[in-house]
């Protein structure tokens, strides 16, 4: 499973990249706004900096437009920033048309705001490279987000769809493990759930004992 970090914060992207396990980055307008980025040029520069930081990994950059022509125009500008840009397109009717256009024109895409298996089927049919089911937001509305990952994985395997399942809106380390078990190709989340995977009390206890015994060998 690939690990993407879900942030536009350069320090966090660098920290995750320095771990050596980062495969890419996802952003969205909320995450970009949180970093105080304003204006077209600043947006393009920020994406370029992220692409250079992650050095070869896919970087999802979301369009703001909602009609076909504008989504395509915006996506072309985003894709021209760097070869690793993946154009993130919302799950709407014109978005589906645009996904197909991007696919026919060799521009990589991530279909975002996916909350059902039916939407995931449409995204795959339109040729999206990634589909992003929002696990945490489904959980927030008292449904089981993880169930959707399993359902999409089963459908894609049965139907031979090539679209990669990008488990998004991941809120915990356990979410990452469950998404991996259920067949997600990628998970995207903030840095904390990734670092949370490190934690186990028996590791801490075991290491303390080993270090203690190592000291004994030195005297
Ligand atoms: C994914 O591409 C989205 O940016 C993200 O995962 C949404 O997460 P949230 O529900 O925590 O905002």
């Amino acid at each position: 499973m690939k690990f993407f970090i879900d942030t536009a914060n350069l320090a966090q992207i660098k920290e995750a990249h320095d771990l050596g396990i980062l495969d890419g980055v996802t952003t969205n307008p909320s995450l970009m706004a949180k970093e105080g980025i304003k204006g077209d040029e600043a947006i393009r520069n920020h994406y370029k900096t992220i692409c250079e930081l992650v050095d070869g990994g896919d970087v999802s950059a979301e369009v703001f437009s909602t009609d076909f022509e504008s989504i395509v125009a915006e996506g072309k500008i985003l894709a021209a920033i760097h070869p690793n840009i993946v154009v993130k397109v919302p799950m709407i009717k014109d978005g589906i048309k645009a996904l197909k256009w991007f696919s026919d024109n060799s521009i990589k895409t991530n279909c975002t705001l996916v909350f059902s298996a039916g939407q995931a089927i449409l995204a795959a049919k339109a040729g999206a490279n990634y589909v992003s089911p929002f696990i945490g937001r489904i959980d927030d509305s008292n449904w089981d987000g993880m169930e959707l990952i399993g359902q999409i994985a089963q459908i894609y395997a049965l139907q031979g769809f090539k679209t990669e399942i990008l488990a998004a809106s991941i809120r915990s380390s356990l979410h990452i493990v469950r998404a991996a078990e259920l067949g997600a190709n990628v998970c995207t989340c903030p840095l904390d759930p990734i670092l949370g995977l490190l934690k186990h009390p028996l590791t801490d206890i075991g290491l303390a004992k080993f270090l203690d015994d190592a000291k004994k060998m030195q005297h």
Side-chain angles (χ1 to χ4, degrees):
M1 183 167 73
K2 287 189 263 185
F3 273 24
F4 289 177
I5 188 163
D6 194 35
T7 183
N9 181 278
L10 299 179
Q12 284 199 18
I13 294 169
K14 190 174 178 323
E15 190 177 340
H17 179 257
D18 287 350
L19 270 176
I21 48 98
L22 190 68
D23 299 296
V25 178
T26 51
T27 63
N28 63 37
S30 309
L31 295 170
M32 291 288 280
K34 200 170 153 194
E35 297 307 310
I37 298 144
K38 280 198 183 118
D40 292 346
E41 200 188 335
I43 292 171
R44 284 196 300 274
N45 287 340
H46 200 76
Y47 284 137
K48 191 163 181 282
T49 307
I50 293 176
C51 288
E52 287 164 357
L53 258 183
V54 296
D55 191 21
D58 281 345
V59 175
S60 287
E62 188 159 341
V63 297
F64 303 158
S65 310
T66 52
D67 67 277
F68 171 72
E69 279 82 13
S70 313
I71 295 174
V72 167
E74 210 185 319
K76 283 200 260 185
I77 292 169
L78 290 171
I81 296 171
H82 193 278
N84 296 334
I85 288 284
V86 174
V87 180
K88 206 169 173 191
V89 179
M91 169 45 72
I92 53 175
K93 198 171 172 189
D94 281 35
I96 293 298
K97 277 174 71 180
L99 286 169
K100 179 71 173 83
W101 189 92
F102 289 129
S103 165
D104 290 345
N105 287 275
S106 306
I107 290 177
K108 285 186 85 175
T109 53
N110 172 358
C111 181
T112 189
L113 291 168
V114 166
F115 294 91
S116 76
Q119 292 178 326
I121 291 172
L122 271 181
K125 284 293 293 174
N129 297 85
Y130 296 104
V131 66
S132 289
F134 276 36
I135 304 312
R137 293 194 195 186
I138 298 175
D139 287 356
D140 290 344
S141 16
N142 284 325
W143 293 74
D144 183 1
M146 239 3 118
E147 216 172 83
L148 179 59
I149 296 290
Q151 199 184 2
I152 299 172
Q154 195 182 3
I155 293 169
Y156 279 13
L158 270 173
Q159 299 296 333
F161 288 134
K162 299 282 175 266
T163 301
E164 291 187 67
I165 303 167
L166 197 171
S169 187
I170 292 275
R171 307 267 172 82
S172 68
S173 307
L174 188 58
H175 266 161
I176 299 176
V177 175
R178 291 289 293 135
E181 275 176 346
L182 290 165
N185 306 96
V186 192
C187 72
T188 192
C189 60
L191 188 56
D192 279 351
I194 297 175
L195 295 179
L197 293 172
L198 282 166
K199 290 182 195 155
H200 199 289
L202 290 180
T203 304
D204 300 338
I205 294 166
L207 182 63
K209 172 87 176 108
F210 285 156
L211 293 179
D212 203 39
D213 289 341
K215 265 188 222 148
K216 289 177 196 158
M217 291 189 294
Q218 287 163 348
H219 299 293

